[in-house]
Amino acid sequence: MKIGRIIEGRGGLYTIRDENGRDFILRAKKHFRHEGMVPLVGDRVHFTPGNLEEHGWLEQIFPRSSLSVRPPVANITQLVIVLAPEPEPDFLLVDKLLVFASRQNIAPLIAVNKSELDPGVAVEIRQTYSTSGV
């Protein structure tokens, strides 16, 4: 068996990148479905590569350090929240994302795009969130 990380999942097939940077196409074993566990992008896994045209098998999913439901990804280490002056930023959504990141021990980062449209927005965002450690 080999160790790798899921980099794509589509239609019951998963692309796994191993520690040497090689990609493998795998199917998940049925026991994941019976356990109610869905393999997600970002999961570290044990897998058995396939032979020639035959798909390999995803055997085991290691414990996750974080989990995002939307989008469905696992083991996130940083969350980048991108804001722009137009349309007006939704600060309630920003606050919800910051709470999510805090609960999952994910390092948040706020980036302001298109700041030339209104330089005051970037200054306001920096003042508002600087005390929160973001």
PDB file of all heavy atoms in Angstrom, residues 79 81 93-103 106 108-110 129 132 134:
ATOM      1  N   LEU A  79      -7.391  29.645   5.334  1.00  0.00           N
ATOM      2  CA  LEU A  79      -8.574  30.101   4.631  1.00  0.00           C
ATOM      3  C   LEU A  79      -8.333  31.533   4.195  1.00  0.00           C
ATOM      4  O   LEU A  79      -8.076  32.402   5.030  1.00  0.00           O
ATOM      5  CB  LEU A  79      -9.799  30.029   5.549  1.00  0.00           C
ATOM      6  CG  LEU A  79     -11.105  30.588   4.999  1.00  0.00           C
ATOM      7  CD1 LEU A  79     -11.596  29.732   3.839  1.00  0.00           C
ATOM      8  CD2 LEU A  79     -12.154  30.656   6.090  1.00  0.00           C
ATOM      9  N   ILE A  81      -9.972  34.782   2.642  1.00  0.00           N
ATOM     10  CA  ILE A  81     -11.254  35.440   2.386  1.00  0.00           C
ATOM     11  C   ILE A  81     -10.949  36.658   1.523  1.00  0.00           C
ATOM     12  O   ILE A  81     -10.233  37.559   1.956  1.00  0.00           O
ATOM     13  CB  ILE A  81     -11.927  35.864   3.706  1.00  0.00           C
ATOM     14  CG1 ILE A  81     -12.125  34.643   4.611  1.00  0.00           C
ATOM     15  CG2 ILE A  81     -13.254  36.568   3.429  1.00  0.00           C
ATOM     16  CD1 ILE A  81     -12.474  34.989   6.041  1.00  0.00           C
ATOM     17  N   LEU A  93     -20.957  37.559   6.493  1.00  0.00           N
ATOM     18  CA  LEU A  93     -20.366  36.345   5.933  1.00  0.00           C
ATOM     19  C   LEU A  93     -18.896  36.221   6.343  1.00  0.00           C
ATOM     20  O   LEU A  93     -18.429  35.137   6.697  1.00  0.00           O
ATOM     21  CB  LEU A  93     -20.495  36.335   4.409  1.00  0.00           C
ATOM     22  CG  LEU A  93     -19.868  35.151   3.692  1.00  0.00           C
ATOM     23  CD1 LEU A  93     -20.470  33.829   4.167  1.00  0.00           C
ATOM     24  CD2 LEU A  93     -20.023  35.304   2.182  1.00  0.00           C
ATOM     25  N   VAL A  94     -18.169  37.332   6.322  1.00  0.00           N
ATOM     26  CA  VAL A  94     -16.763  37.318   6.750  1.00  0.00           C
ATOM     27  C   VAL A  94     -16.672  36.840   8.199  1.00  0.00           C
ATOM     28  O   VAL A  94     -15.843  35.985   8.537  1.00  0.00           O
ATOM     29  CB  VAL A  94     -16.112  38.709   6.587  1.00  0.00           C
ATOM     30  CG1 VAL A  94     -14.726  38.738   7.217  1.00  0.00           C
ATOM     31  CG2 VAL A  94     -16.049  39.105   5.125  1.00  0.00           C
ATOM     32  N   ASP A  95     -17.540  37.382   9.061  1.00  0.00           N
ATOM     33  CA  ASP A  95     -17.526  36.982  10.469  1.00  0.00           C
ATOM     34  C   ASP A  95     -17.833  35.491  10.628  1.00  0.00           C
ATOM     35  O   ASP A  95     -17.200  34.800  11.420  1.00  0.00           O
ATOM     36  CB  ASP A  95     -18.519  37.815  11.270  1.00  0.00           C
ATOM     37  CG  ASP A  95     -18.114  39.281  11.373  1.00  0.00           C
ATOM     38  OD1 ASP A  95     -16.939  39.601  11.095  1.00  0.00           O
ATOM     39  OD2 ASP A  95     -18.983  40.113  11.717  1.00  0.00           O
ATOM     40  N   LYS A  96     -18.783  34.975   9.855  1.00  0.00           N
ATOM     41  CA  LYS A  96     -19.112  33.548   9.917  1.00  0.00           C
ATOM     42  C   LYS A  96     -17.919  32.696   9.478  1.00  0.00           C
ATOM     43  O   LYS A  96     -17.630  31.659  10.081  1.00  0.00           O
ATOM     44  CB  LYS A  96     -20.317  33.238   9.032  1.00  0.00           C
ATOM     45  CG  LYS A  96     -21.628  33.730   9.594  1.00  0.00           C
ATOM     46  CD  LYS A  96     -22.773  33.398   8.635  1.00  0.00           C
ATOM     47  CE  LYS A  96     -24.099  33.880   9.157  1.00  0.00           C
ATOM     48  NZ  LYS A  96     -25.216  33.560   8.234  1.00  0.00           N
ATOM     49  N   LEU A  97     -17.241  33.137   8.423  1.00  0.00           N
ATOM     50  CA  LEU A  97     -16.075  32.391   7.947  1.00  0.00           C
ATOM     51  C   LEU A  97     -14.941  32.422   8.976  1.00  0.00           C
ATOM     52  O   LEU A  97     -14.227  31.427   9.157  1.00  0.00           O
ATOM     53  CB  LEU A  97     -15.598  32.954   6.608  1.00  0.00           C
ATOM     54  CG  LEU A  97     -16.524  32.685   5.425  1.00  0.00           C
ATOM     55  CD1 LEU A  97     -16.084  33.495   4.213  1.00  0.00           C
ATOM     56  CD2 LEU A  97     -16.568  31.212   5.102  1.00  0.00           C
ATOM     57  N   LEU A  98     -14.775  33.545   9.657  1.00  0.00           N
ATOM     58  CA  LEU A  98     -13.742  33.640  10.693  1.00  0.00           C
ATOM     59  C   LEU A  98     -14.055  32.734  11.885  1.00  0.00           C
ATOM     60  O   LEU A  98     -13.154  32.109  12.451  1.00  0.00           O
ATOM     61  CB  LEU A  98     -13.567  35.088  11.145  1.00  0.00           C
ATOM     62  CG  LEU A  98     -12.971  36.030  10.102  1.00  0.00           C
ATOM     63  CD1 LEU A  98     -12.984  37.466  10.605  1.00  0.00           C
ATOM     64  CD2 LEU A  98     -11.569  35.604   9.717  1.00  0.00           C
ATOM     65  N   VAL A  99     -15.332  32.636  12.249  1.00  0.00           N
ATOM     66  CA  VAL A  99     -15.728  31.725  13.330  1.00  0.00           C
ATOM     67  C   VAL A  99     -15.473  30.282  12.912  1.00  0.00           C
ATOM     68  O   VAL A  99     -14.936  29.478  13.677  1.00  0.00           O
ATOM     69  CB  VAL A  99     -17.206  31.938  13.719  1.00  0.00           C
ATOM     70  CG1 VAL A  99     -17.706  30.824  14.628  1.00  0.00           C
ATOM     71  CG2 VAL A  99     -17.387  33.294  14.384  1.00  0.00           C
ATOM     72  N   PHE A 100     -15.846  29.948  11.673  1.00  0.00           N
ATOM     73  CA  PHE A 100     -15.585  28.604  11.149  1.00  0.00           C
ATOM     74  C   PHE A 100     -14.091  28.280  11.225  1.00  0.00           C
ATOM     75  O   PHE A 100     -13.691  27.222  11.703  1.00  0.00           O
ATOM     76  CB  PHE A 100     -16.083  28.495   9.703  1.00  0.00           C
ATOM     77  CG  PHE A 100     -15.464  27.357   8.943  1.00  0.00           C
ATOM     78  CD1 PHE A 100     -15.870  26.053   9.170  1.00  0.00           C
ATOM     79  CD2 PHE A 100     -14.465  27.591   8.012  1.00  0.00           C
ATOM     80  CE1 PHE A 100     -15.287  25.002   8.485  1.00  0.00           C
ATOM     81  CE2 PHE A 100     -13.885  26.549   7.323  1.00  0.00           C
ATOM     82  CZ  PHE A 100     -14.296  25.252   7.558  1.00  0.00           C
ATOM     83  N   ALA A 101     -13.261  29.206  10.761  1.00  0.00           N
ATOM     84  CA  ALA A 101     -11.817  28.983  10.768  1.00  0.00           C
ATOM     85  C   ALA A 101     -11.291  28.809  12.191  1.00  0.00           C
ATOM     86  O   ALA A 101     -10.469  27.930  12.455  1.00  0.00           O
ATOM     87  CB  ALA A 101     -11.106  30.154  10.078  1.00  0.00           C
ATOM     88  N   SER A 102     -11.786  29.597  13.107  1.00  0.00           N
ATOM     89  CA  SER A 102     -11.348  29.504  14.500  1.00  0.00           C
ATOM     90  C   SER A 102     -11.707  28.153  15.100  1.00  0.00           C
ATOM     91  O   SER A 102     -10.885  27.528  15.773  1.00  0.00           O
ATOM     92  CB  SER A 102     -11.999  30.632  15.306  1.00  0.00           C
ATOM     93  OG  SER A 102     -11.724  30.489  16.667  1.00  0.00           O
ATOM     94  N   ARG A 103     -12.917  27.683  14.845  1.00  0.00           N
ATOM     95  CA  ARG A 103     -13.355  26.396  15.397  1.00  0.00           C
ATOM     96  C   ARG A 103     -12.588  25.216  14.817  1.00  0.00           C
ATOM     97  O   ARG A 103     -12.450  24.184  15.465  1.00  0.00           O
ATOM     98  CB  ARG A 103     -14.848  26.204  15.150  1.00  0.00           C
ATOM     99  CG  ARG A 103     -15.705  27.078  16.009  1.00  0.00           C
ATOM    100  CD  ARG A 103     -17.150  26.781  15.799  1.00  0.00           C
ATOM    101  NE  ARG A 103     -17.970  27.585  16.692  1.00  0.00           N
ATOM    102  CZ  ARG A 103     -19.267  27.684  16.603  1.00  0.00           C
ATOM    103  NH1 ARG A 103     -19.927  27.037  15.662  1.00  0.00           N
ATOM    104  NH2 ARG A 103     -19.928  28.426  17.452  1.00  0.00           N
ATOM    105  N   ILE A 106      -7.984  26.745  11.714  1.00  0.00           N
ATOM    106  CA  ILE A 106      -7.493  27.116  10.388  1.00  0.00           C
ATOM    107  C   ILE A 106      -7.046  28.567  10.444  1.00  0.00           C
ATOM    108  O   ILE A 106      -7.758  29.416  10.984  1.00  0.00           O
ATOM    109  CB  ILE A 106      -8.607  26.945   9.326  1.00  0.00           C
ATOM    110  CG1 ILE A 106      -9.050  25.489   9.264  1.00  0.00           C
ATOM    111  CG2 ILE A 106      -8.150  27.441   7.967  1.00  0.00           C
ATOM    112  CD1 ILE A 106     -10.313  25.264   8.445  1.00  0.00           C
ATOM    113  N   PRO A 108      -6.845  32.123   9.278  1.00  0.00           N
ATOM    114  CA  PRO A 108      -7.568  32.950   8.309  1.00  0.00           C
ATOM    115  C   PRO A 108      -6.702  34.098   7.786  1.00  0.00           C
ATOM    116  O   PRO A 108      -5.807  34.588   8.468  1.00  0.00           O
ATOM    117  CB  PRO A 108      -8.743  33.493   9.119  1.00  0.00           C
ATOM    118  CG  PRO A 108      -8.224  33.586  10.507  1.00  0.00           C
ATOM    119  CD  PRO A 108      -7.227  32.456  10.650  1.00  0.00           C
ATOM    120  N   LEU A 109      -6.987  34.517   6.566  1.00  0.00           N
ATOM    121  CA  LEU A 109      -6.303  35.641   5.933  1.00  0.00           C
ATOM    122  C   LEU A 109      -7.355  36.403   5.133  1.00  0.00           C
ATOM    123  O   LEU A 109      -8.136  35.802   4.402  1.00  0.00           O
ATOM    124  CB  LEU A 109      -5.204  35.138   4.998  1.00  0.00           C
ATOM    125  CG  LEU A 109      -4.497  36.163   4.138  1.00  0.00           C
ATOM    126  CD1 LEU A 109      -3.599  37.042   4.990  1.00  0.00           C
ATOM    127  CD2 LEU A 109      -3.680  35.476   3.067  1.00  0.00           C
ATOM    128  N   ILE A 110      -7.393  37.726   5.304  1.00  0.00           N
ATOM    129  CA  ILE A 110      -8.308  38.542   4.519  1.00  0.00           C
ATOM    130  C   ILE A 110      -7.496  39.290   3.478  1.00  0.00           C
ATOM    131  O   ILE A 110      -6.524  39.970   3.807  1.00  0.00           O
ATOM    132  CB  ILE A 110      -9.088  39.542   5.402  1.00  0.00           C
ATOM    133  CG1 ILE A 110      -9.984  38.789   6.381  1.00  0.00           C
ATOM    134  CG2 ILE A 110      -9.924  40.478   4.536  1.00  0.00           C
ATOM    135  CD1 ILE A 110     -10.749  39.678   7.352  1.00  0.00           C
ATOM    136  N   TYR A 129     -10.569  44.337  11.571  1.00  0.00           N
ATOM    137  CA  TYR A 129     -10.179  42.953  11.889  1.00  0.00           C
ATOM    138  C   TYR A 129      -8.770  42.807  12.475  1.00  0.00           C
ATOM    139  O   TYR A 129      -8.387  41.706  12.841  1.00  0.00           O
ATOM    140  CB  TYR A 129     -10.320  42.070  10.641  1.00  0.00           C
ATOM    141  CG  TYR A 129     -11.771  41.877  10.262  1.00  0.00           C
ATOM    142  CD1 TYR A 129     -12.344  42.578   9.211  1.00  0.00           C
ATOM    143  CD2 TYR A 129     -12.586  41.025  10.984  1.00  0.00           C
ATOM    144  CE1 TYR A 129     -13.676  42.410   8.874  1.00  0.00           C
ATOM    145  CE2 TYR A 129     -13.921  40.847  10.657  1.00  0.00           C
ATOM    146  CZ  TYR A 129     -14.456  41.552   9.604  1.00  0.00           C
ATOM    147  OH  TYR A 129     -15.782  41.379   9.279  1.00  0.00           O
ATOM    148  N   SER A 132      -8.526  41.144  15.855  1.00  0.00           N
ATOM    149  CA  SER A 132      -8.922  39.730  15.928  1.00  0.00           C
ATOM    150  C   SER A 132      -7.794  38.785  15.542  1.00  0.00           C
ATOM    151  O   SER A 132      -7.970  37.578  15.550  1.00  0.00           O
ATOM    152  CB  SER A 132     -10.131  39.485  15.018  1.00  0.00           C
ATOM    153  OG  SER A 132      -9.762  39.645  13.668  1.00  0.00           O
ATOM    154  N   VAL A 134      -6.378  38.641  12.577  1.00  0.00           N
ATOM    155  CA  VAL A 134      -6.451  38.296  11.155  1.00  0.00           C
ATOM    156  C   VAL A 134      -5.545  39.217  10.382  1.00  0.00           C
ATOM    157  O   VAL A 134      -5.539  40.416  10.598  1.00  0.00           O
ATOM    158  CB  VAL A 134      -7.900  38.401  10.641  1.00  0.00           C
ATOM    159  CG1 VAL A 134      -7.971  38.071   9.164  1.00  0.00           C
ATOM    160  CG2 VAL A 134      -8.803  37.477  11.423  1.00  0.00           C
TER     161      VAL A 134
END
